[in-house]
Structures are given as structure tokens and as C-alpha cells.
Short mmCIF file of all heavy atoms in Angstrom, two decimals:
data_model
loop_
_atom_site.label_atom_id
_atom_site.label_comp_id
_atom_site.label_asym_id
_atom_site.label_seq_id
_atom_site.Cartn_x
_atom_site.Cartn_y
_atom_site.Cartn_z
N MET A 29 -108.89 76.58 -98.16
CA MET A 29 -110.02 75.79 -98.63
C MET A 29 -109.69 74.31 -98.57
O MET A 29 -108.55 73.91 -98.40
CB MET A 29 -110.39 76.18 -100.07
CG MET A 29 -110.90 77.61 -100.18
SD MET A 29 -112.37 77.92 -99.15
CE MET A 29 -113.61 77.01 -100.11
N SER A 30 -110.69 73.54 -98.76
CA SER A 30 -110.48 72.11 -98.63
C SER A 30 -109.69 71.56 -99.83
O SER A 30 -109.89 71.97 -100.96
CB SER A 30 -111.81 71.39 -98.52
OG SER A 30 -112.56 71.58 -99.69
N GLU A 31 -108.82 70.67 -99.51
CA GLU A 31 -108.05 70.03 -100.57
C GLU A 31 -108.86 68.89 -101.15
O GLU A 31 -109.74 68.35 -100.51
CB GLU A 31 -106.74 69.48 -100.00
CG GLU A 31 -105.86 70.57 -99.42
CD GLU A 31 -104.74 69.95 -98.60
OE1 GLU A 31 -104.03 69.12 -99.15
OE2 GLU A 31 -104.62 70.30 -97.42
N THR A 32 -108.53 68.56 -102.34
CA THR A 32 -109.23 67.44 -102.97
C THR A 32 -108.67 66.14 -102.44
O THR A 32 -107.48 65.86 -102.54
CB THR A 32 -109.06 67.50 -104.49
OG1 THR A 32 -109.53 68.75 -104.95
CG2 THR A 32 -109.85 66.38 -105.16
N VAL A 33 -109.56 65.38 -101.86
CA VAL A 33 -109.15 64.08 -101.33
C VAL A 33 -109.96 63.00 -102.02
O VAL A 33 -111.19 63.06 -102.08
CB VAL A 33 -109.37 64.01 -99.81
CG1 VAL A 33 -109.02 62.63 -99.28
CG2 VAL A 33 -108.53 65.07 -99.12
N ASN A 34 -109.28 62.05 -102.52
CA ASN A 34 -109.93 60.93 -103.18
C ASN A 34 -110.28 59.87 -102.15
O ASN A 34 -109.41 59.32 -101.48
CB ASN A 34 -108.98 60.35 -104.23
CG ASN A 34 -109.69 59.36 -105.13
OD1 ASN A 34 -110.80 58.90 -104.84
ND2 ASN A 34 -109.05 59.01 -106.22
N LEU A 35 -111.58 59.62 -102.00
CA LEU A 35 -112.00 58.65 -100.98
C LEU A 35 -112.25 57.27 -101.55
O LEU A 35 -112.56 56.34 -100.82
CB LEU A 35 -113.28 59.15 -100.30
CG LEU A 35 -113.14 60.43 -99.48
CD1 LEU A 35 -114.46 60.80 -98.86
CD2 LEU A 35 -112.08 60.28 -98.41
N LYS A 36 -112.10 57.14 -102.84
CA LYS A 36 -112.29 55.83 -103.45
C LYS A 36 -110.94 55.19 -103.70
O LYS A 36 -110.06 55.78 -104.30
CB LYS A 36 -113.03 55.95 -104.77
CG LYS A 36 -114.43 56.52 -104.64
CD LYS A 36 -115.42 55.43 -104.27
CE LYS A 36 -116.83 56.01 -104.33
NZ LYS A 36 -117.83 55.02 -103.97
N SER A 37 -110.80 53.99 -103.21
CA SER A 37 -109.56 53.26 -103.44
C SER A 37 -109.91 51.84 -103.85
O SER A 37 -110.86 51.25 -103.33
CB SER A 37 -108.73 53.25 -102.16
OG SER A 37 -107.47 52.66 -102.39
N VAL A 38 -109.16 51.32 -104.78
CA VAL A 38 -109.41 49.96 -105.24
C VAL A 38 -108.42 49.02 -104.56
O VAL A 38 -107.21 49.11 -104.78
CB VAL A 38 -109.28 49.86 -106.77
CG1 VAL A 38 -109.53 48.42 -107.24
CG2 VAL A 38 -110.27 50.80 -107.45
N LEU A 39 -108.95 48.18 -103.72
CA LEU A 39 -108.11 47.24 -102.98
C LEU A 39 -107.92 45.96 -103.78
O LEU A 39 -108.85 45.44 -104.39
CB LEU A 39 -108.78 46.89 -101.64
CG LEU A 39 -108.72 47.96 -100.55
CD1 LEU A 39 -109.67 47.59 -99.42
CD2 LEU A 39 -107.32 48.10 -100.01
N THR A 40 -106.70 45.47 -103.76
CA THR A 40 -106.40 44.20 -104.39
C THR A 40 -105.93 43.21 -103.33
O THR A 40 -104.97 43.46 -102.61
CB THR A 40 -105.29 44.36 -105.45
OG1 THR A 40 -105.71 45.34 -106.40
CG2 THR A 40 -105.03 43.04 -106.16
N CYS A 41 -106.64 42.10 -103.23
CA CYS A 41 -106.28 41.08 -102.24
C CYS A 41 -104.98 40.40 -102.65
O CYS A 41 -104.86 39.92 -103.77
CB CYS A 41 -107.40 40.06 -102.15
SG CYS A 41 -106.99 38.64 -101.10
N PRO A 42 -103.99 40.38 -101.74
CA PRO A 42 -102.72 39.74 -102.06
C PRO A 42 -102.81 38.22 -102.09
O PRO A 42 -101.92 37.55 -102.61
CB PRO A 42 -101.78 40.21 -100.93
CG PRO A 42 -102.70 40.47 -99.79
CD PRO A 42 -104.00 40.94 -100.39
N GLU A 43 -103.87 37.68 -101.53
CA GLU A 43 -104.02 36.22 -101.48
C GLU A 43 -104.62 35.66 -102.76
O GLU A 43 -104.14 34.68 -103.32
CB GLU A 43 -104.89 35.82 -100.29
CG GLU A 43 -104.31 36.18 -98.93
CD GLU A 43 -103.06 35.36 -98.62
OE1 GLU A 43 -102.99 34.20 -99.06
OE2 GLU A 43 -102.17 35.89 -97.95
N CYS A 44 -105.71 36.29 -103.21
CA CYS A 44 -106.43 35.73 -104.35
C CYS A 44 -106.52 36.67 -105.54
O CYS A 44 -107.00 36.29 -106.59
CB CYS A 44 -107.83 35.29 -103.92
SG CYS A 44 -108.93 36.66 -103.53
N GLY A 45 -106.07 37.92 -105.35
CA GLY A 45 -106.09 38.86 -106.46
C GLY A 45 -107.43 39.52 -106.71
O GLY A 45 -107.60 40.23 -107.70
N PHE A 46 -108.37 39.31 -105.80
CA PHE A 46 -109.70 39.90 -105.95
C PHE A 46 -109.61 41.42 -105.82
O PHE A 46 -108.91 41.94 -104.94
CB PHE A 46 -110.63 39.33 -104.87
CG PHE A 46 -112.05 39.80 -105.00
CD1 PHE A 46 -112.87 39.35 -106.02
CD2 PHE A 46 -112.58 40.69 -104.07
CE1 PHE A 46 -114.19 39.76 -106.13
CE2 PHE A 46 -113.90 41.11 -104.16
CZ PHE A 46 -114.70 40.64 -105.19
N VAL A 47 -110.29 42.12 -106.70
CA VAL A 47 -110.23 43.58 -106.74
C VAL A 47 -111.59 44.15 -106.37
O VAL A 47 -112.62 43.71 -106.87
CB VAL A 47 -109.81 44.07 -108.14
CG1 VAL A 47 -109.91 45.58 -108.24
CG2 VAL A 47 -108.39 43.61 -108.44
N LYS A 48 -111.60 45.11 -105.47
CA LYS A 48 -112.85 45.70 -105.01
C LYS A 48 -112.64 47.17 -104.71
O LYS A 48 -111.68 47.55 -104.05
CB LYS A 48 -113.30 44.98 -103.74
CG LYS A 48 -114.59 45.52 -103.13
CD LYS A 48 -115.81 44.77 -103.65
CE LYS A 48 -117.05 45.07 -102.82
NZ LYS A 48 -117.49 46.48 -102.97
N GLU A 49 -113.57 48.00 -105.20
CA GLU A 49 -113.48 49.42 -104.88
C GLU A 49 -114.16 49.67 -103.54
O GLU A 49 -115.28 49.22 -103.32
CB GLU A 49 -114.15 50.26 -105.96
CG GLU A 49 -114.00 51.75 -105.70
CD GLU A 49 -114.69 52.60 -106.76
OE1 GLU A 49 -115.89 52.86 -106.61
OE2 GLU A 49 -114.03 52.99 -107.72
N GLU A 50 -113.47 50.38 -102.68
CA GLU A 50 -114.02 50.70 -101.36
C GLU A 50 -113.91 52.19 -101.12
O GLU A 50 -113.04 52.87 -101.66
CB GLU A 50 -113.24 49.96 -100.27
CG GLU A 50 -113.36 48.45 -100.33
CD GLU A 50 -114.72 47.94 -99.89
OE1 GLU A 50 -115.50 48.72 -99.32
OE2 GLU A 50 -115.02 46.76 -100.14
N THR A 51 -114.80 52.68 -100.28
CA THR A 51 -114.73 54.08 -99.88
C THR A 51 -114.01 54.16 -98.55
O THR A 51 -114.35 53.45 -97.60
CB THR A 51 -116.14 54.67 -99.75
OG1 THR A 51 -116.80 54.54 -101.00
CG2 THR A 51 -116.07 56.13 -99.36
N MET A 52 -113.03 55.02 -98.49
CA MET A 52 -112.23 55.12 -97.27
C MET A 52 -112.88 56.04 -96.25
O MET A 52 -113.46 57.07 -96.63
CB MET A 52 -110.84 55.66 -97.61
CG MET A 52 -110.05 54.73 -98.47
SD MET A 52 -108.39 55.37 -98.78
CE MET A 52 -108.73 56.50 -100.13
N PRO A 53 -112.79 55.71 -94.97
CA PRO A 53 -113.24 56.64 -93.94
C PRO A 53 -112.27 57.81 -93.86
O PRO A 53 -111.08 57.64 -94.03
CB PRO A 53 -113.19 55.79 -92.66
CG PRO A 53 -112.18 54.73 -92.95
CD PRO A 53 -112.24 54.46 -94.43
N THR A 54 -112.81 59.00 -93.62
CA THR A 54 -111.95 60.18 -93.61
C THR A 54 -111.35 60.45 -92.24
O THR A 54 -110.36 61.15 -92.11
CB THR A 54 -112.75 61.44 -94.01
OG1 THR A 54 -113.89 61.53 -93.16
CG2 THR A 54 -113.18 61.35 -95.45
N ASN A 55 -111.96 59.89 -91.22
CA ASN A 55 -111.55 60.25 -89.87
C ASN A 55 -110.80 59.15 -89.14
O ASN A 55 -110.45 59.29 -87.98
CB ASN A 55 -112.77 60.67 -89.04
CG ASN A 55 -113.82 59.59 -89.01
OD1 ASN A 55 -113.71 58.61 -89.73
ND2 ASN A 55 -114.82 59.76 -88.18
N ALA A 56 -110.60 58.05 -89.80
CA ALA A 56 -109.91 56.95 -89.12
C ALA A 56 -109.20 56.09 -90.15
O ALA A 56 -109.59 56.06 -91.31
CB ALA A 56 -110.90 56.10 -88.34
N CYS A 57 -108.18 55.41 -89.67
CA CYS A 57 -107.48 54.48 -90.55
C CYS A 57 -108.11 53.11 -90.41
O CYS A 57 -108.51 52.70 -89.33
CB CYS A 57 -106.00 54.40 -90.17
SG CYS A 57 -105.13 55.88 -90.68
N GLN A 58 -108.20 52.44 -91.53
CA GLN A 58 -108.76 51.10 -91.48
C GLN A 58 -107.62 50.09 -91.44
O GLN A 58 -106.85 49.92 -92.38
CB GLN A 58 -109.65 50.85 -92.71
CG GLN A 58 -110.39 49.55 -92.62
CD GLN A 58 -111.46 49.41 -93.69
OE1 GLN A 58 -111.91 50.38 -94.28
NE2 GLN A 58 -111.86 48.19 -93.95
N TRP A 59 -107.52 49.41 -90.32
CA TRP A 59 -106.43 48.47 -90.11
C TRP A 59 -106.70 47.11 -90.74
O TRP A 59 -105.79 46.44 -91.18
CB TRP A 59 -106.21 48.28 -88.60
CG TRP A 59 -105.15 49.20 -88.09
CD1 TRP A 59 -105.33 50.46 -87.61
CD2 TRP A 59 -103.74 48.93 -88.03
NE1 TRP A 59 -104.11 50.98 -87.26
CE2 TRP A 59 -103.13 50.07 -87.48
CE3 TRP A 59 -102.96 47.83 -88.37
CZ2 TRP A 59 -101.76 50.14 -87.29
CZ3 TRP A 59 -101.60 47.90 -88.16
CH2 TRP A 59 -101.00 49.05 -87.64
N PHE A 60 -107.96 46.74 -90.71
CA PHE A 60 -108.27 45.40 -91.19
C PHE A 60 -109.29 45.46 -92.32
O PHE A 60 -110.14 46.33 -92.35
CB PHE A 60 -108.85 44.55 -90.05
CG PHE A 60 -107.91 44.42 -88.90
CD1 PHE A 60 -108.16 45.08 -87.71
CD2 PHE A 60 -106.77 43.63 -88.99
CE1 PHE A 60 -107.29 44.97 -86.64
CE2 PHE A 60 -105.89 43.52 -87.94
CZ PHE A 60 -106.15 44.18 -86.75
N TYR A 61 -109.12 44.54 -93.22
CA TYR A 61 -110.08 44.46 -94.32
C TYR A 61 -110.26 43.00 -94.69
O TYR A 61 -109.28 42.28 -94.91
CB TYR A 61 -109.55 45.24 -95.52
CG TYR A 61 -110.44 45.11 -96.74
CD1 TYR A 61 -111.62 45.84 -96.85
CD2 TYR A 61 -110.11 44.23 -97.78
CE1 TYR A 61 -112.44 45.70 -97.96
CE2 TYR A 61 -110.92 44.09 -98.89
CZ TYR A 61 -112.09 44.83 -98.97
OH TYR A 61 -112.89 44.68 -100.06
N GLU A 62 -111.51 42.58 -94.69
CA GLU A 62 -111.76 41.20 -95.04
C GLU A 62 -112.07 41.09 -96.52
O GLU A 62 -112.98 41.76 -97.02
CB GLU A 62 -112.94 40.66 -94.22
CG GLU A 62 -113.12 39.15 -94.39
CD GLU A 62 -114.36 38.65 -93.67
OE1 GLU A 62 -114.35 38.66 -92.43
OE2 GLU A 62 -115.33 38.28 -94.35
N CYS A 63 -111.32 40.26 -97.19
CA CYS A 63 -111.53 40.07 -98.63
C CYS A 63 -112.90 39.45 -98.87
O CYS A 63 -113.28 38.49 -98.21
CB CYS A 63 -110.43 39.16 -99.19
SG CYS A 63 -110.72 38.70 -100.91
N LYS A 64 -113.62 40.07 -99.82
CA LYS A 64 -114.97 39.57 -100.10
C LYS A 64 -114.95 38.26 -100.87
O LYS A 64 -115.96 37.60 -101.01
CB LYS A 64 -115.73 40.62 -100.90
CG LYS A 64 -115.89 41.95 -100.19
CD LYS A 64 -116.80 41.82 -98.97
CE LYS A 64 -117.03 43.17 -98.30
NZ LYS A 64 -115.82 43.75 -97.69
N SER A 65 -113.80 37.92 -101.39
CA SER A 65 -113.71 36.71 -102.20
C SER A 65 -113.23 35.51 -101.40
O SER A 65 -113.89 34.48 -101.34
CB SER A 65 -112.78 36.95 -103.39
OG SER A 65 -112.64 35.79 -104.15
N CYS A 66 -112.05 35.64 -100.78
CA CYS A 66 -111.48 34.48 -100.08
C CYS A 66 -111.60 34.62 -98.56
O CYS A 66 -111.19 33.73 -97.83
CB CYS A 66 -110.02 34.27 -100.48
SG CYS A 66 -108.89 35.54 -99.89
N ALA A 67 -112.14 35.74 -98.08
CA ALA A 67 -112.40 35.97 -96.66
C ALA A 67 -111.13 36.03 -95.82
O ALA A 67 -111.19 35.93 -94.60
CB ALA A 67 -113.35 34.91 -96.10
N CYS A 68 -109.99 36.24 -96.45
CA CYS A 68 -108.77 36.42 -95.67
C CYS A 68 -108.78 37.83 -95.07
O CYS A 68 -109.42 38.74 -95.60
CB CYS A 68 -107.54 36.21 -96.53
SG CYS A 68 -107.32 37.43 -97.82
N LEU A 69 -108.10 37.97 -93.96
CA LEU A 69 -108.06 39.26 -93.28
C LEU A 69 -106.76 39.99 -93.65
O LEU A 69 -105.67 39.53 -93.31
CB LEU A 69 -108.15 39.05 -91.78
CG LEU A 69 -108.49 40.31 -90.96
CD1 LEU A 69 -109.85 40.87 -91.32
CD2 LEU A 69 -108.44 39.97 -89.47
N LEU A 70 -106.93 41.10 -94.36
CA LEU A 70 -105.76 41.87 -94.75
C LEU A 70 -105.36 42.80 -93.62
O LEU A 70 -106.20 43.39 -92.96
CB LEU A 70 -106.05 42.70 -96.00
CG LEU A 70 -106.62 41.98 -97.21
CD1 LEU A 70 -106.64 42.93 -98.41
CD2 LEU A 70 -105.85 40.74 -97.54
N LYS A 71 -104.05 42.93 -93.44
CA LYS A 71 -103.51 43.87 -92.47
C LYS A 71 -102.47 44.73 -93.17
O LYS A 71 -101.89 44.30 -94.16
CB LYS A 71 -102.85 43.12 -91.30
CG LYS A 71 -103.84 42.37 -90.45
CD LYS A 71 -103.09 41.52 -89.43
CE LYS A 71 -103.95 40.35 -88.99
NZ LYS A 71 -103.15 39.30 -88.35
N PRO A 72 -102.20 45.92 -92.66
CA PRO A 72 -101.22 46.79 -93.31
C PRO A 72 -99.83 46.16 -93.33
O PRO A 72 -99.45 45.44 -92.40
CB PRO A 72 -101.22 48.05 -92.44
CG PRO A 72 -102.51 48.02 -91.71
CD PRO A 72 -102.83 46.57 -91.51
N LEU A 73 -99.09 46.43 -94.38
CA LEU A 73 -97.71 45.99 -94.46
C LEU A 73 -96.87 46.84 -93.50
O LEU A 73 -97.26 47.95 -93.14
CB LEU A 73 -97.18 46.16 -95.89
CG LEU A 73 -97.90 45.35 -96.97
CD1 LEU A 73 -97.42 45.78 -98.35
CD2 LEU A 73 -97.67 43.86 -96.76
N PRO A 74 -95.72 46.33 -93.09
CA PRO A 74 -94.85 47.13 -92.20
C PRO A 74 -94.53 48.48 -92.81
O PRO A 74 -94.18 48.57 -93.97
CB PRO A 74 -93.58 46.26 -92.10
CG PRO A 74 -94.04 44.87 -92.36
CD PRO A 74 -95.17 45.00 -93.37
N GLY A 75 -94.71 49.55 -92.03
CA GLY A 75 -94.46 50.90 -92.50
C GLY A 75 -95.68 51.59 -93.06
O GLY A 75 -95.66 52.78 -93.30
N ASP A 76 -96.74 50.84 -93.30
CA ASP A 76 -97.97 51.43 -93.78
C ASP A 76 -98.95 51.58 -92.64
O ASP A 76 -98.95 50.79 -91.69
CB ASP A 76 -98.60 50.57 -94.88
CG ASP A 76 -97.85 50.72 -96.20
OD1 ASP A 76 -97.23 51.77 -96.41
OD2 ASP A 76 -97.88 49.77 -96.99
N CYS A 77 -99.83 52.61 -92.75
CA CYS A 77 -100.72 52.90 -91.64
C CYS A 77 -102.06 52.21 -91.75
O CYS A 77 -102.79 52.08 -90.78
CB CYS A 77 -100.92 54.40 -91.50
SG CYS A 77 -101.74 55.15 -92.93
N CYS A 78 -102.41 51.77 -92.94
CA CYS A 78 -103.72 51.14 -93.10
C CYS A 78 -103.73 50.26 -94.34
O CYS A 78 -102.80 50.31 -95.15
CB CYS A 78 -104.82 52.19 -93.18
SG CYS A 78 -104.77 53.17 -94.68
N VAL A 79 -104.78 49.50 -94.49
CA VAL A 79 -104.85 48.57 -95.61
C VAL A 79 -104.90 49.27 -96.96
O VAL A 79 -104.45 48.73 -97.97
CB VAL A 79 -106.06 47.62 -95.49
CG1 VAL A 79 -105.85 46.64 -94.32
CG2 VAL A 79 -107.36 48.38 -95.32
N PHE A 80 -105.43 50.50 -96.97
CA PHE A 80 -105.50 51.22 -98.24
C PHE A 80 -104.11 51.64 -98.71
O PHE A 80 -103.85 51.66 -99.91
CB PHE A 80 -106.42 52.44 -98.10
CG PHE A 80 -107.85 52.07 -97.88
CD1 PHE A 80 -108.43 52.22 -96.63
CD2 PHE A 80 -108.62 51.54 -98.90
CE1 PHE A 80 -109.76 51.86 -96.41
CE2 PHE A 80 -109.93 51.18 -98.70
CZ PHE A 80 -110.51 51.34 -97.45
N CYS A 81 -103.25 51.99 -97.77
CA CYS A 81 -101.89 52.35 -98.15
C CYS A 81 -101.12 51.13 -98.66
O CYS A 81 -100.25 51.25 -99.51
CB CYS A 81 -101.15 52.96 -96.96
SG CYS A 81 -101.80 54.58 -96.50
N SER A 82 -101.46 49.96 -98.14
CA SER A 82 -100.74 48.75 -98.53
C SER A 82 -101.29 48.11 -99.78
O SER A 82 -100.53 47.65 -100.63
CB SER A 82 -100.78 47.73 -97.39
OG SER A 82 -100.05 48.18 -96.27
N TYR A 83 -102.60 48.08 -99.89
CA TYR A 83 -103.21 47.29 -100.97
C TYR A 83 -104.08 48.10 -101.92
O TYR A 83 -104.57 47.57 -102.90
CB TYR A 83 -104.05 46.15 -100.37
CG TYR A 83 -103.26 45.31 -99.40
CD1 TYR A 83 -103.48 45.39 -98.03
CD2 TYR A 83 -102.28 44.44 -99.86
CE1 TYR A 83 -102.75 44.63 -97.14
CE2 TYR A 83 -101.54 43.67 -98.98
CZ TYR A 83 -101.78 43.77 -97.62
OH TYR A 83 -101.04 43.03 -96.75
N GLY A 84 -104.30 49.37 -101.58
CA GLY A 84 -105.18 50.18 -102.41
C GLY A 84 -104.44 50.94 -103.49
O GLY A 84 -103.22 51.07 -103.46
N THR A 85 -105.21 51.46 -104.43
CA THR A 85 -104.64 52.27 -105.50
C THR A 85 -104.40 53.70 -105.04
O THR A 85 -103.64 54.44 -105.64
CB THR A 85 -105.58 52.30 -106.72
OG1 THR A 85 -106.88 52.70 -106.29
CG2 THR A 85 -105.66 50.93 -107.37
N VAL A 86 -105.09 54.09 -103.96
CA VAL A 86 -105.00 55.45 -103.45
C VAL A 86 -104.66 55.38 -101.97
O VAL A 86 -105.27 54.61 -101.23
CB VAL A 86 -106.35 56.18 -103.64
CG1 VAL A 86 -106.29 57.59 -103.08
CG2 VAL A 86 -106.72 56.22 -105.12
N PRO A 87 -103.68 56.15 -101.52
CA PRO A 87 -103.36 56.16 -100.08
C PRO A 87 -104.51 56.76 -99.27
O PRO A 87 -105.36 57.46 -99.82
CB PRO A 87 -102.12 57.04 -99.97
CG PRO A 87 -101.72 57.40 -101.34
CD PRO A 87 -102.82 57.04 -102.28
N CYS A 88 -104.51 56.51 -97.99
CA CYS A 88 -105.61 56.96 -97.15
C CYS A 88 -105.64 58.49 -97.05
O CYS A 88 -104.64 59.17 -97.30
CB CYS A 88 -105.51 56.33 -95.77
SG CYS A 88 -104.12 56.89 -94.79
N PRO A 89 -106.79 59.06 -96.71
CA PRO A 89 -106.96 60.53 -96.68
C PRO A 89 -105.89 61.29 -95.88
O PRO A 89 -105.40 62.32 -96.37
CB PRO A 89 -108.36 60.71 -96.09
CG PRO A 89 -109.09 59.48 -96.52
CD PRO A 89 -108.07 58.37 -96.47
N PRO A 90 -105.52 60.86 -94.69
CA PRO A 90 -104.49 61.62 -93.96
C PRO A 90 -103.16 61.69 -94.72
O PRO A 90 -102.47 62.71 -94.68
CB PRO A 90 -104.33 60.83 -92.65
CG PRO A 90 -105.63 60.14 -92.48
CD PRO A 90 -106.06 59.78 -93.87
N ILE A 91 -102.81 60.62 -95.41
CA ILE A 91 -101.58 60.62 -96.20
C ILE A 91 -101.71 61.58 -97.39
O ILE A 91 -100.79 62.32 -97.72
CB ILE A 91 -101.25 59.20 -96.70
CG1 ILE A 91 -101.01 58.25 -95.51
CG2 ILE A 91 -100.05 59.21 -97.64
CD1 ILE A 91 -99.77 58.58 -94.71
N GLN A 92 -102.87 61.57 -98.02
CA GLN A 92 -103.10 62.48 -99.15
C GLN A 92 -102.99 63.94 -98.71
O GLN A 92 -102.56 64.80 -99.46
CB GLN A 92 -104.49 62.26 -99.75
CG GLN A 92 -104.62 60.93 -100.49
CD GLN A 92 -106.00 60.79 -101.11
OE1 GLN A 92 -106.48 61.67 -101.80
NE2 GLN A 92 -106.64 59.65 -100.87
N GLN A 93 -103.41 64.21 -97.47
CA GLN A 93 -103.36 65.57 -96.96
C GLN A 93 -102.04 65.87 -96.27
O GLN A 93 -101.88 66.89 -95.61
CB GLN A 93 -104.51 65.80 -95.99
CG GLN A 93 -105.87 65.75 -96.68
CD GLN A 93 -107.03 65.82 -95.69
OE1 GLN A 93 -107.05 65.06 -94.73
NE2 GLN A 93 -107.96 66.71 -95.92
N ASP A 94 -101.10 64.92 -96.39
CA ASP A 94 -99.78 65.07 -95.82
C ASP A 94 -99.82 65.24 -94.31
O ASP A 94 -99.08 66.02 -93.72
CB ASP A 94 -99.06 66.27 -96.46
CG ASP A 94 -97.55 66.09 -96.38
OD1 ASP A 94 -97.10 64.93 -96.19
OD2 ASP A 94 -96.83 67.09 -96.48
N LYS A 95 -100.74 64.53 -93.70
CA LYS A 95 -100.83 64.55 -92.25
C LYS A 95 -100.40 63.19 -91.73
O LYS A 95 -100.52 62.19 -92.41
CB LYS A 95 -102.26 64.80 -91.80
CG LYS A 95 -102.78 66.19 -92.08
CD LYS A 95 -104.22 66.26 -91.61
CE LYS A 95 -104.91 67.50 -92.17
NZ LYS A 95 -106.37 67.39 -92.08
N LYS A 96 -100.00 63.20 -90.49
CA LYS A 96 -99.77 61.93 -89.85
C LYS A 96 -101.12 61.41 -89.37
O LYS A 96 -101.95 62.17 -88.88
CB LYS A 96 -98.85 62.07 -88.65
CG LYS A 96 -97.41 62.29 -89.05
CD LYS A 96 -96.54 62.36 -87.81
CE LYS A 96 -95.10 62.63 -88.20
NZ LYS A 96 -94.29 62.88 -87.01
N CYS A 97 -101.31 60.14 -89.50
CA CYS A 97 -102.56 59.60 -89.00
C CYS A 97 -102.28 58.68 -87.82
O CYS A 97 -101.13 58.33 -87.57
CB CYS A 97 -103.29 58.83 -90.10
SG CYS A 97 -102.40 57.44 -90.74
N CYS A 98 -103.32 58.35 -87.12
CA CYS A 98 -103.23 57.44 -85.99
C CYS A 98 -102.30 57.99 -84.91
O CYS A 98 -101.57 57.24 -84.27
CB CYS A 98 -102.78 56.04 -86.39
SG CYS A 98 -103.71 55.37 -87.75
N THR A 99 -102.26 59.29 -84.73
CA THR A 99 -101.39 59.82 -83.67
C THR A 99 -102.22 60.39 -82.54
O THR A 99 -103.37 60.72 -82.74
CB THR A 99 -100.48 60.94 -84.22
OG1 THR A 99 -101.30 61.92 -84.85
CG2 THR A 99 -99.50 60.37 -85.20
ZN1 LIG B 121 -108.75 37.36 -101.17
#
């Protein structure tokens, strides 16, 4: 059966500290995220696959399901 995957992640901008809840796409990793406050472009940190893994409260769906993503 389907595993429970949390699609809501709260992103925190490393530049200005702005916090925003976003819904993650289930079928793709989101590489870029533009901060709604300071308009800076967030990119994943080294070793992370997407902005949610780097800046979000919840890792992206493929990570939650213990799958490799972007392969
Ligand atoms: Zn910002």
C-alpha cells in the first residue's frame, strides 16, 4: 500500500529568514526556489537533491520513500 508521504514542507530562506509553507511536487525534485520576501534564488546545498532537503522542514518525497531521486 501507499506509504504516508508528507508533501508540505516549510522552507526557510537562508538570506532573510523568511518562512513559507510550500507543497512539494511528488514526481520531480525542485532545484530552485525563489524567496517570496527577498527574491533570492535558493539552490540545494552540496549533497542535497533539492531545496526542500536543504531548507525545508521535511525532505522531498523520494527521500521520504527511501528512493533515489533525479536518477
Ligand atoms: Zn529571502
Side-chain angles (χ1 to χ4, degrees):
M29 294 302 287
S30 62
E31 299 167 55
T32 303
V33 176
N34 191 346
L35 295 180
K36 297 276 188 181
S37 186
V38 179
L39 285 168
T40 303
C41 173
E43 296 293 328
C44 70
F46 184 72
V47 173
K48 178 92 167 67
E49 184 181 86
E50 295 288 347
T51 301
M52 295 183 278
T54 54
N55 56 351
C57 286
Q58 188 170 339
W59 266 90
F60 301 108
Y61 175 78
E62 189 185 291
C63 173
K64 299 293 183 293
S65 178
C66 69
C68 66
L69 195 62
L70 308 188
K71 292 173 205 162
L73 298 171
D76 285 334
C77 64
C78 68
V79 290
F80 293 106
C81 291
S82 293
Y83 306 107
T85 52
V86 179
C88 68
I91 297 293
Q92 291 183 50
Q93 294 174 309
D94 206 19
K95 291 178 194 163
K96 285 183 182 172
C97 62
C98 310
T99 54

